[in-house]
Amino acid sequence: MKKCVFAGTFDPPTRGHLRIIEKCLEIFDGVTVAVMVNPDKVPLISVGDRERLLKKLFSGDKRVKVRTFCGAAVDLLNEENTRFYVRGVRNTVDFEYENGDRFASEKLMPDLITIYIPADQDDLHISSSIVRNSVRFGKDYADYIPESILNELRQILEKKDV
């Protein structure tokens, strides 16, 4: 069985994330979606809420495993017993960042295979940062969030009184 890892902060999960994961499922038999914990960042929503939203997004699809991870991506790949690491890219800025990270990761895991999946043209402007800013400034973010988790995200944000 060929599987891959797609990791990110998913703060919150967006329509762009959904489409990258769907493309992973066209290539691989399974995908581990890892909510990465970065102790240096202050997230909008909790790790548990992000994990729960992703699990809801893929409920019933046994090919998708959602988990939380704190550490280096290569350690996650080793735990998941795969060398295929998927990264979504929207533009050259994303590519430059991801490619620099790839070079560092390959030093730690020489057999790493990084696969870049470009965002759909309709999703080039979508990012978790755009959603967070929309929330902070009271702007509509519904078009950026998958419909199946939109209401739950709104409830999470209402509880936080954002």
Side-chain angles (χ1 to χ4, degrees), residues 69-124:
F69 190 79
C70 183
V74 293
D75 295 331
L76 170 64
L77 290 162
N78 283 324
E79 279 188 20
E80 291 299 323
N81 196 30
T82 185
R83 61 191 184 132
F84 299 105
Y85 191 42
V86 171
R87 308 306 299 147
V89 292
R90 293 167 297 186
N91 52 43
T92 58
V93 174
D94 284 353
F95 179 78
E96 289 293 326
Y97 172 82
E98 295 297 343
N99 216 34
D101 190 53
R102 175 180 69 92
F103 292 132
S105 294
E106 283 179 348
K107 296 254 186 218
L108 301 171
M109 185 179 184
D111 65 339
L112 171 76
I113 297 176
T114 303
I115 299 168
Y116 300 112
I117 298 181
D120 290 345
Q121 188 170 9
D122 291 345
D123 296 339
L124 291 175

Side-chain angles (χ1 to χ4, degrees), residues 9-14 17-18 21 33 35 44-59 64 66 68 131 141 145-157:
T9 54
F10 303 105
D11 185 33
T14 67
H17 294 131
L18 170 65
I21 296 164
V33 179
V35 178
L44 177 65
I45 59 177
S46 73
V47 171
D49 284 337
R50 287 180 269 157
E51 184 176 6
R52 192 171 65 254
L53 288 169
L54 286 162
K55 283 181 177 178
K56 181 175 183 178
L57 201 52
F58 292 97
S59 65
V64 178
V66 178
T68 299
V131 175
Y141 54 87
I145 304 296
E147 190 175 330
S148 62
I149 62 170
L150 180 59
N151 287 335
E152 188 166 344
L153 176 61
R154 283 183 173 143
Q155 290 171 1
I156 290 166
L157 294 172

